[in-house]
Amino acid sequence: MIENLNKENEEQLIINIKNEVEKLNIDAIVLQTTREEIKVDKIGESDAVYGKIVNIESYKSKVDYLEFVRSLSISTKIPLLFSVKIFNALSNDFKENTLAKNPAQTLKEIKEIIRKHLVNLLKSKVRYDGIENSVLPNVFKTENGETYLDTGSVGKFQKDIEQDFSLKTKWVFENVIEYDSNFEIEIIEKDAEMDEIEIFGKLPKLKIKTPLGEYNPDFCYAIKGNNGNKIFLIVESKGYETSTAIPENEKGKMAFAEKYFQALNDFYRNENVKISFKERISSTQLASLINN
């Protein structure tokens, strides 16, 4: 991918990475000297030996730049030459001070920055075509005239519905709940009743292809539309307090999934069908997703 960039785009990518890297706040490695003394009158007791900090100083490492660049190339899977170009773009002050404070942490932080920019680059290049005739698998089974849902058909876990909840009449799986996490259980059982929702359920495993691996969103809500319109809200639920707490790899997959559902929405636009993909973290109310 990087090899296919023209000179102007490559230079801009390097500048963007450099600018973000040089804003990093790296924790220094601290050396602490402690002197231990023995209390003669306490010999034989648990507090006979006590330590006293006598000196604290920051430590700067001597960094092997070549090895650092190699490690950056290997860990991010970018060409060595591109890794060198990024390193050469960094200021001497950053290399001699920030990097030397803590090379291991700096490497980790730079790796995440590069990865984020590469994902953004991929997002601008990836397209989802040929999605017509895509259908969800039938997860229901019938045996002796009884229809049921096998455990693991749509979620990792399954439990019987033992009591009513606000949206029970609109839950697609009548007698059981399939789920992947406690947060999903909370969503299913504790969300308030909303007239706008016609039916909802946990999605079968779609296995949407992304450059970062396969992706499976969590829920689909069929929403009442106007003038015969059909509205489907696809929701990815994350039990994090903020979006920034979501791991970068997950955020990357979600970004590609958003492109997938946008392509699906475009395909069905002339059939009065609207498809929307949204993220839901722990503090997000369902009503805000539907009304927006």
Side-chain angles (χ1 to χ4, degrees):
M1 177 183 61
I2 291 175
E3 296 89 336
N4 297 327
L5 293 176
N6 60 37
K7 183 178 180 181
E8 181 181 353
N9 288 339
E10 181 186 276
E11 289 177 350
Q12 186 59 56
L13 178 59
I14 291 171
I15 290 172
N16 293 343
I17 292 172
K18 161 195 159 62
N19 289 341
E20 191 166 347
V21 167
E22 291 187 343
K23 294 177 183 177
L24 286 173
N25 183 20
I26 301 297
D27 298 324
I29 297 175
V30 175
L31 298 180
Q32 178 175 294
T33 304
T34 303
R35 184 175 66 199
E36 292 188 342
E37 297 181 356
I38 299 175
K39 299 178 182 177
V40 178
D41 60 336
K42 295 282 187 176
I43 291 176
E45 299 180 18
S46 59
D47 59 345
V49 179
Y50 75 97
K52 180 180 180 182
I53 298 173
V54 294
N55 187 45
I56 297 177
E57 62 181 36
S58 297
Y59 172 79
K60 285 189 178 181
S61 303
K62 185 177 181 181
V63 183
D64 183 334
Y65 288 167
L66 182 57
E67 184 58 33
F68 186 88
V69 168
R70 279 202 194 100
S71 297
L72 188 60
S73 173
I74 293 170
S75 61
T76 57
K77 298 181 181 179
I78 60 174
L80 180 60
L81 179 58
F82 189 71
S83 181
V84 170
K85 289 179 179 179
I86 292 173
F87 187 81
N88 287 342
L90 299 173
S91 69
N92 289 333
D93 179 68
F94 180 86
K95 295 172 188 173
E96 294 169 5
N97 294 298
T98 307
L99 172 58
K101 279 183 182 179
N102 194 328
Q105 184 190 350
T106 306
L107 178 64
K108 181 180 177 181
E109 299 281 359
I110 295 178
K111 181 180 72 172
E112 289 303 314
I113 289 171
I114 291 174
R115 188 181 171 286
K116 181 178 69 175
H117 282 276
L118 293 181
V119 167
N120 289 336
L121 181 61
L122 279 169
K123 281 166 55 181
S124 68
K125 303 292 183 182
V126 168
R127 293 177 55 193
Y128 286 97
D129 297 320
I131 59 176
E132 57 182 303
N133 300 321
S134 298
V135 295
L136 293 177
N138 181 8
V139 296
F140 292 101
K141 294 186 177 181
T142 301
E143 190 174 306
N144 298 324
E146 182 179 347
T147 301
Y148 64 96
L149 185 70
D150 262 352
T151 301
S153 298
V154 297
K156 294 179 182 177
F157 314 105
Q158 184 181 106
K159 76 168 197 169
D160 293 333
I161 296 177
E162 298 174 347
Q163 59 185 20
D164 285 344
F165 50 90
S166 296
L167 290 172
K168 183 177 182 297
T169 58
K170 299 177 180 181
W171 176 244
V172 69
F173 307 116
E174 295 180 358
N175 301 314
V176 298
I177 292 175
E178 287 236 334
Y179 61 101
D180 291 330
S181 67
N182 290 334
F183 181 51
E184 290 188 3
I185 283 284
E186 185 176 325
I187 284 174
I188 296 165
E189 295 185 335
K190 295 186 178 181
D191 274 339
E193 162 67 23
M194 293 188 66
D195 289 338
E196 293 91 338
I197 299 173
E198 292 187 335
I199 193 171
F200 81 109
K202 184 158 174 63
L203 284 167
K205 295 175 173 58
L206 289 176
K207 295 185 178 180
I208 298 170
K209 303 291 185 182
T210 84
L212 303 176
E214 292 181 340
Y215 176 78
N216 299 295
D218 294 320
F219 296 100
C220 178
Y221 296 81
I223 310 299
K224 294 177 183 177
N226 299 320
N227 304 319
N229 290 341
K230 299 176 181 177
I231 302 173
F232 298 96
L233 173 64
I234 312 300
V235 175
E236 174 61 31
S237 59
K238 296 293 182 186
Y240 297 98
E241 292 300 321
T242 64
S243 292
T244 55
I246 300 174
E248 287 296 330
N249 192 62
E250 292 183 44
K251 284 196 283 190
K253 288 182 181 181
M254 289 164 61
F256 288 110
E258 186 173 12
K259 291 198 72 170
Y260 172 86
F261 286 110
Q262 182 59 54
L264 202 62
N265 180 68
D266 293 343
F267 181 80
Y268 287 108
R269 180 169 291 157
N270 295 330
E271 300 181 32
N272 292 326
V273 174
K274 181 178 180 181
I275 300 170
S276 179
F277 174 80
K278 294 186 179 181
E279 163 198 311
R280 182 180 186 183
I281 57 174
S282 62
S283 59
T284 306
Q285 297 295 316
L286 179 60
S288 67
L289 296 180
I290 291 175
N291 293 332
N292 292 330

